[in-house]
Amino acid sequence: MYFSIVLGAFGCGLVSAQTGVTQPLAQLCNATSLPNVLCLNNYTAVMPYHFSRNVSNATYMSVFGSTSVPNDTTFDQVNKTDFLVFDRKRGLDLLGPSPSYKFVFVVNKSVHEAPVYVASQNKLYFSQLAPPPGYLPQLVIDLNPTDPTLSPYLSDPPVYAPNGGTFHDGKIYWGASGGNNSIGGTEQRSGIRTLDPLTNKSTTLLNNYFGFYFNTVNDLVVSKNGDVWFTDPQYAWMNALTDTAPQLESATYRFRPSTGAVYVVEDSLLQPNGIGISPSGKTFYISDTGAQSGPIDRSVGPRGAFFNATGKRTIYAYDLNDKGTSLLNKRPIYLAQDGIPDGLKVAQNGYVVTAAGEGVDVLDEDGTLLVRVQTNYTVQNFAWTGKNLTTLWMFGSGGISKVEWNLQGQRLQ
């Protein structure tokens, strides 16, 4: 009896005690901090019990701020701020002394993608994907007026469903994700298009892989030698942007416009999505968004891409080989803590930026989360604008917003 009483008391002590709790979890970064910037101490590594966070599903997107932490009320501020700082020194440096977030345009709930800034015009070109299927006009934001304007835009010939974009050698490069026998009176298939913003003329650079249709040319970058690197997941079929089921595996490719040759460079990812390249050109980053996926065979289930929290939502880093032709040393660097890492770009200082759920995450080269920008809509992609490329425009389902900060984008020539 004596021993059982002693052990019982000892066990109760273990249950009731909690050590190492981060206190407080959240606070203003310093005495003069703006109210829209919140610092998270020690990455909230030890939360006081009992805490819980719901899991995202097809109809609900869990965000970090939705975590219930009743025994630390400072965490309640997480959902009430624009910027979350996880690394105090580097985070505050990239935000600068007076960062700001502004919701600018209400748009419909369609996916809005492929933003490309044309500095010579001071305009932002981007796309609206289905719904409705077959929607052809793109959109353009004119940044020249004091109050920017939003208007439809149609190239000649039209480009169907651009999903990723970049700027190179005076032209917009778009990854056209849709395919149909009759879009605007013409057939279009997924591939790579260029658009001359001065003449409004578009040109097809690539529309097949040895006769096979690409699945969903999604995101792309152009390396220093002019090669176009692009991801090709299977989302166009799932989201009714094409009339043809996938004919190829999900993969990432390198395309050389001067010869027309296409090379597969990565085929291990479930749904390769965002792609970015470091300023040195030596490191590539590709996201796998396999957590958002769906059936190919309609007998298995309806069309659509559904979220599975246990699926892939990871950014991988790769080294470029000495010849500049292959990707080596694949390594995971970041598991998205909100949503999936969709659009992906690399800042001028080498930081990796990704659109993830209802916001944008800023990481260092090793995948350390430094800052999160929080929005009230799902962000699909983004682009830097302005003379110094320190304004970030974010595009998504239901909204377009912008951030002013110190983090500078790469200048695309």
Side-chain angles (χ1 to χ4, degrees), residues 40-206:
L40 284 303
N41 291 322
N42 200 36
Y43 284 81
T44 68
V46 182
M47 292 181 171
Y49 295 123
H50 171 68
F51 62 87
S52 64
R53 177 176 174 180
N54 292 327
V55 176
S56 297
N57 55 41
T59 59
Y60 168 76
M61 178 60 67
S62 169
V63 297
F64 181 50
S66 68
T67 307
S68 173
V69 192
N71 288 320
D72 188 334
T73 57
T74 65
F75 197 83
D76 296 342
Q77 300 303 310
V78 170
N79 266 344
K80 302 174 183 178
T81 190
D82 298 327
F83 303 96
L84 298 179
V85 175
F86 292 88
D87 184 302
R88 190 173 297 232
K89 182 181 186 308
R90 292 184 292 175
L92 293 177
D93 283 347
L94 73 87
L95 287 178
S98 55
S100 65
Y101 169 85
K102 181 180 180 181
F103 188 93
V104 183
F105 295 110
V106 175
V107 291
N108 64 28
K109 294 296 184 179
S110 301
V111 171
H112 293 86
E113 273 276 12
V116 179
Y117 178 55
V118 179
S120 62
Q121 297 180 325
N122 198 28
K123 292 181 178 181
L124 260 172
Y125 295 79
F126 65 103
S127 69
Q128 174 180 303
L129 306 184
Y135 185 79
L136 271 177
Q138 312 314 324
L139 297 165
V140 61
I141 297 176
D142 188 345
L143 300 175
N144 292 291
T146 302
D147 294 320
T149 60
L150 175 65
S151 58
Y153 172 83
L154 194 64
S155 61
D156 179 23
V159 179
Y160 180 44
N163 210 324
T166 190
F167 189 80
H168 175 72
D169 196 24
K171 292 183 175 62
I172 294 171
Y173 279 62
W174 264 333
S177 63
N180 196 285
N181 278 333
S182 181
I183 292 290
T186 64
E187 181 174 1
Q188 292 203 35
R189 294 296 164 189
S190 185
I192 299 174
R193 314 279 201 277
T194 61
L195 170 67
D196 186 332
L198 299 180
T199 65
N200 195 40
K201 296 294 184 180
S202 67
T203 301
T204 300
L205 298 186
L206 178 69

Side-chain angles (χ1 to χ4, degrees), residues 221-264:
V221 292
V222 181
S223 56
K224 293 181 179 180
N225 66 352
D227 286 356
V228 183
W229 304 68
F230 64 94
T231 57
D232 188 43
Q234 298 172 334
Y235 290 128
W237 174 250
M238 300 172 193
N239 295 326
L241 288 172
T242 181
D243 56 8
T244 307
Q247 300 179 345
L248 297 166
E249 64 173 348
S250 295
T252 300
Y253 298 88
R254 177 175 61 86
F255 169 57
R256 179 155 289 178
S258 61
T259 66
V262 181
Y263 310 83
V264 61

Side-chain angles (χ1 to χ4, degrees), residues 241-318:
L241 288 172
T242 181
D243 56 8
T244 307
Q247 300 179 345
L248 297 166
E249 64 173 348
S250 295
T252 300
Y253 298 88
R254 177 175 61 86
F255 169 57
R256 179 155 289 178
S258 61
T259 66
V262 181
Y263 310 83
V264 61
V265 294
E266 219 294 352
D267 67 349
S268 69
L269 306 183
L270 296 177
Q271 299 291 352
N273 195 327
I275 184 169
I277 185 171
S278 66
S280 68
K282 296 180 179 180
T283 306
F284 278 72
Y285 301 91
I286 305 175
S287 66
D288 185 350
T289 54
Q292 190 85 24
S293 196
I296 302 301
D297 186 345
R298 291 193 195 177
S299 67
V300 176
R303 272 189 176 181
F306 309 100
F307 187 82
N308 175 6
T310 64
K312 294 289 185 182
R313 42 196 172 110
T314 306
I315 296 175
Y316 296 86
Y318 304 78

